[in-house]
Every structure is written in C-alpha cells, then in structure tokens.
Amino acid sequence: MPKKGGKHADMGEDGPAQCKRAKMEAGCSPSVMSFENPDSLFESLISPIKQEVFFREYWEQKPLLVQRNNPLLAAYYQSLFQLSDLKELCGQGLYYGRDLNICRCVNGKKKVLNKEGKVNYMQLKKDFDQKKATIQFHQPQRFKEELWKIQEKLECYFGSLVGSNVYMTPQGSQGLPPHYDDVEVFILQLEGEKHWRLYKPTVHLAREYNVESEDRIGSPTHEFILKPGDLLYFPRGTIHQADTPPGISYSTHVTISTYQNNSWGDFLLDAIPALVFDTAKEDVALRTSIPRKLLMQVDVADSMKKLSSLLRRLADCLENTRELRSSDMKKDFIMNRLPPCLGCDTDTLTPGGKFPKIDSKIQLQFRDHAVITVEPDQENSDENRREMVYVYHSLRNKRETHMMGTEDDTASEEGTPQQTHGLRFPLSYLDALKQIWCSSTVNVKELNLASDEEKENLALSLWTECLIQVI
C-alpha cells in the first residue's frame, strides 16, 4: 500500500500504470464552480480537461484522474459534506437502510453492521471509531443544497438521473470489497485521503452491480491516492476498491453517478413497441398471423427468417420517421429528477409576471425540466384511444425523495400516490408546442393553431405551469 502522500509517478515499470492525470495549480485555477448553465458546470467539474477531450478519450472508455493543488477548490469540496455534519443530520431523523448504511469489508465480503430503526449519533460514532466501519450516506443532495445545485445541473447536462452517496471511512479500513457498478462514476475527494485501486473490467459497460473476488480481478491497472479537491472518473463496469491509508484519520468522498439504464438497448426497449404499433397500422405484413403453433415450437429457425425480414422492414420505416417515441424513459426521467434549485426560500413555483394574451411575446423557461410526448389518451380507456400530446415537467418534484426508490417515490407526505406533473393537449397542438420549444421567443398570435382562442389557451396553460414567461 502506498505511504501517506507518496508520489505514485515513481513506481517501477512493473507497477500499476498511471491513470491519465491532469495537474491544476492553484495560481491558474478558475473560480471554484460555474453554475451559469449545465455546460459550464460540467466544464468546471472536470477542469482543466475540456468537454470534447473528455467525451472523445474517456467517457465509457477509461478512467480519468484529475489531481489538483488548489486550496480554494479543496475547501469548496469540503463544504459539500463533512463527517462533522452527521451529528446535526442525525437530529433530523435518519434511519438505517433508508438514509445510511454501516459496513466494512471483511475477507473480501461486505459486512453490514446496521442497527434497527432510527440512527443514534453516539452509536454511529462508536461504530465508526471502534469497529472501523464505513458510513455510506445515501443521496445527500436531499439535505445539502450545494449538492442539489450540482446534481440538478448535471441532470440537465446529461438528460439522465444523477444520484450520489457519501462514503466516510476511518484509517486503515475499507468499506466495500472489489466490485463494479452499472453507472458512470465521478468521485470528489472531500476530506482526508483515499487509496484507490482500479482493475480491468470483466464486463464492459456493465448493466448491473457485481462483487468480484480478488483471485479473479488480477493486479490493478491503476493505483493512486486521492486528496481533497481531486476528481476521479471511471466508466460503468470498472472494477474498483478503496481504503483509507494508515496515518490518515479518516476519508470522506462523494460518489456522483449517472447513466443507469440509459443505453441504446434501453432506448430501443422503450421506443420499439410504439414503432411496431404505428408501422402495423400502415404495413399489412406486420398484421399477418404468425404460423400455427409457433408459440409451442422448440425449433423456430424458419420463423426467425421471417422475423428478420420484418425487422428490416421496421428499420426501413425508421429511416423515414421524423419522430421516435420514448414516452416511458422520458416520463421516468422527468418524474424522478431534481426540481430546479432556485436559491430562494419558496418550495413551490407560482406563475408571475405579465398574463399572456394574443398579442404577447412569450419565452420558454426551464427548458431542461420539461419534455413533450405523444401517447394514447390516458383519460380514455376505450380500446381505440386517440393520440394526445403531453407536456411533463419536474418543477414540482420533491428534492426530499430524489433517488430514494419506489417506496418513497410512490407516496407523498400525505400518503397519496405521486403524480407526474404536466399538461394534456389535442394532437393538433403539437406543432405549436414545437414552435415554443425550438424558438428563443415566439409571438402568441403566430402559433401554429387554428384559432386565437386555442393560441391563448395554450399560452395560458403553459404560463400557469410556470413553463413560459411573457417578455
């Protein structure tokens, strides 16, 4: 194990290779983080690496280590979450399992040391100090506004849910065995130091979490120490393990993760059923019957040829299709993502400014928090439901339940099911909605609708949901 503060660049040729690293000196660093827009936030997160370099050379391909000698950034990272924050947070009512786990890696396996029910701070501290247990704090953005700001911007940037966990590990201890995840991982070192070892993936771009045994993973491909202000990225499927070196009282880092179930395969699973349904309306080949007893046959080789032919017909149709519906993935993202972090005391957005009229000029706001979908009418249970346009948004989502799973997602504080927030319009409104989404500003009277009444009603509906403003 490297010594405290050791320089791994001095490893011999037979030692682990170095992760690509970028040095940032305090004198040339930008202001800590830029929240001007999602692009600037991500740029400042991975600085000094440029976005185009990151996605060309590292994203889904290999790890990136950014080591920084920047006291200002180190102090900012520390402010995101500290071990000392636990005492106050425990006073807000934390529960084992839901809000945090206590664990330790013992003989290559994860040993969970959770108690039952509510977390007692003194017991938690005792487990940390005496049992050398790691504290895994779930989704700290529910409590820490600065992490809320960061993750909300990253969700806008990626168009995918972004979760986080904080790991606090005492010296000479390790919380988790070697494993890989099903998410893209960004690690920010907040306090102390952490010794990391990365290994060659056994499953590239893995779709599920899995623990790997030491005898299966071989020697590490990368080995290094993270210090406050440093950042580490690695793709899903990267096998990793980390420990707090002796001589370092403890380590705190936050793992920010994204792109779970967000692959082309997931998109196809979501979009293809609608494509088949729509194409079958026009293509009689898709409406012909399958062979008798096909569902009971063991050898279906002949039918596979027919299926391949139909898939090629679908591919041909796809090339001539202007839109590909992905309603479920869109709704899941919008329904479960963070609401905007507005930096004000109010919990709920309310319409403000001028009232939209036929001669008003309007502008879309919170563009990254709303999606347009075309789906069968949800308010009509008839078999032949007409298609409607739905606008879903996340402006009224609850930060307190972000990434907390089914049990928390499906029930509000009042115990009623959580609803997707949005609006429902006739299909004839689709072009007008696209006008608003694709233009910086648009005049209400120029909306592509048949009557002035429809134009005003559309503008008013969007204004009521805080999705447009009158300028």
Side-chain angles (χ1 to χ4, degrees), residues 46-145:
I46 64 171
S47 177
I49 300 296
K50 298 299 182 184
Q51 294 182 62
E52 59 272 18
V53 174
F54 175 78
F55 286 102
R56 184 177 67 245
E57 299 183 12
Y58 301 101
W59 177 253
E60 294 190 327
Q61 299 172 62
K62 61 183 179 182
L64 168 67
L65 171 63
V66 181
Q67 294 182 309
R68 296 159 168 145
N69 179 23
N70 187 338
L72 183 63
L73 190 60
Y76 173 75
Y77 273 23
Q78 185 176 11
S79 73
L80 297 177
F81 199 104
Q82 302 176 48
L83 180 65
S84 58
D85 292 335
L86 285 175
K87 186 173 184 179
E88 178 185 347
L89 290 170
C90 285
Q92 298 183 34
L94 303 180
Y95 286 84
Y96 287 104
R98 186 192 71 179
D99 298 304
L100 58 81
N101 282 330
I102 307 297
C103 58
R104 186 172 183 185
C105 179
V106 179
N107 298 324
K109 296 183 179 180
K110 177 182 176 181
K111 184 177 181 180
V112 178
L113 305 173
N114 286 357
K115 306 296 187 295
E116 292 292 330
K118 209 169 185 179
V119 177
N120 177 277
Y121 173 72
M122 294 308 296
Q123 180 64 54
L124 184 66
K125 189 174 185 302
K126 182 179 178 180
D127 289 338
F128 184 80
D129 293 336
Q130 298 181 10
K131 295 184 179 181
K132 300 297 182 183
T134 288
I135 301 171
Q136 179 187 30
F137 194 98
H138 302 148
Q139 310 304 335
Q141 71 277 9
R142 296 176 294 140
F143 303 93
K144 293 291 188 174
E145 185 167 310

Side-chain angles (χ1 to χ4, degrees), residues 153-400:
K153 280 287 189 290
L154 288 176
E155 287 186 331
C156 293
Y157 182 81
F158 285 111
S160 177
L161 295 175
V162 176
S164 67
N165 285 321
V166 169
Y167 296 86
M168 293 153 278
T169 303
Q171 66 172 319
S173 185
Q174 179 170 329
L176 300 174
H179 67 279
Y180 59 78
D181 298 298
D182 59 347
V183 286
E184 301 294 306
V185 172
F186 296 86
I187 291 165
L188 285 60
Q189 185 66 25
L190 310 183
E191 298 180 300
E193 298 178 7
K194 203 70 175 278
H195 168 230
W196 283 85
R197 285 169 287 174
L198 309 182
Y199 304 81
K200 184 179 179 180
T202 52
V203 179
H204 289 276
L205 302 181
R207 289 182 54 83
E208 56 188 16
Y209 167 94
N210 192 50
V211 174
E212 291 282 21
S213 62
E214 290 274 5
D215 57 357
R216 175 175 161 83
I217 61 179
S219 300
T221 56
H222 309 89
E223 187 169 6
F224 46 84
I225 294 282
L226 283 187
K227 298 181 180 181
D230 291 349
L231 175 137
L232 170 66
Y233 158 80
F234 52 80
R236 55 195 186 276
T238 302
I239 302 169
H240 57 279
Q241 60 178 325
D243 60 89
T244 302
I248 302 297
S249 58
Y250 64 89
S251 164
T252 304
H253 76 263
V254 61
T255 295
I256 296 175
S257 58
T258 189
Y259 261 65
Q260 185 178 49
N261 300 329
N262 209 47
S263 67
W264 276 112
D266 296 300
F267 186 81
L268 286 172
L269 286 171
D270 188 38
I272 289 298
L275 175 66
V276 174
F277 182 82
D278 291 341
T279 306
K281 294 179 181 178
E282 309 296 331
D283 190 344
V284 68
L286 287 169
R287 301 199 301 271
T288 58
S289 301
I290 61 175
R292 290 184 308 106
K293 299 186 178 182
L294 173 63
L295 302 181
M296 295 180 283
Q297 292 177 5
V298 176
D299 185 357
V300 292
D302 291 340
S303 296
M304 289 303 99
K305 294 178 182 179
K306 177 64 175 180
L307 183 59
S308 297
S309 172
L310 292 173
L311 287 173
R312 282 189 286 271
R313 293 174 76 100
L314 280 176
D316 292 338
C317 291
L318 187 59
E319 290 186 355
N320 299 315
T321 300
R322 291 180 55 197
E323 296 175 13
L324 188 59
R325 285 190 259 156
S326 174
S327 298
D328 289 341
M329 285 182 73
K330 283 185 176 182
K331 282 193 291 186
D332 179 73
F333 173 52
I334 289 297
M335 183 175 180
N336 293 294
R337 65 160 303 181
L338 282 163
C341 185
L342 303 175
C344 55
D345 294 332
T346 180
D347 289 333
T348 306
L349 281 167
T350 54
K354 298 178 182 177
F355 192 82
K357 299 179 181 178
I358 191 63
D359 58 352
S360 298
K361 179 182 285 188
I362 59 175
Q363 181 179 58
L364 182 67
Q365 55 183 3
F366 304 112
R367 183 187 304 271
D368 293 325
H369 283 267
V371 295
I372 303 171
T373 72
V374 176
E375 2 176 340
D377 188 357
Q378 298 174 11
E379 296 185 10
N380 189 334
S381 59
D382 293 343
E383 185 174 336
N384 295 317
R385 292 183 292 173
R386 60 176 179 165
E387 290 190 323
M388 303 290 287
V389 182
Y390 288 86
V391 176
Y392 298 110
H393 66 80
S394 56
L395 303 187
R396 298 198 186 103
N397 287 5
K398 295 296 183 182
R399 162 199 181 189
E400 294 78 13

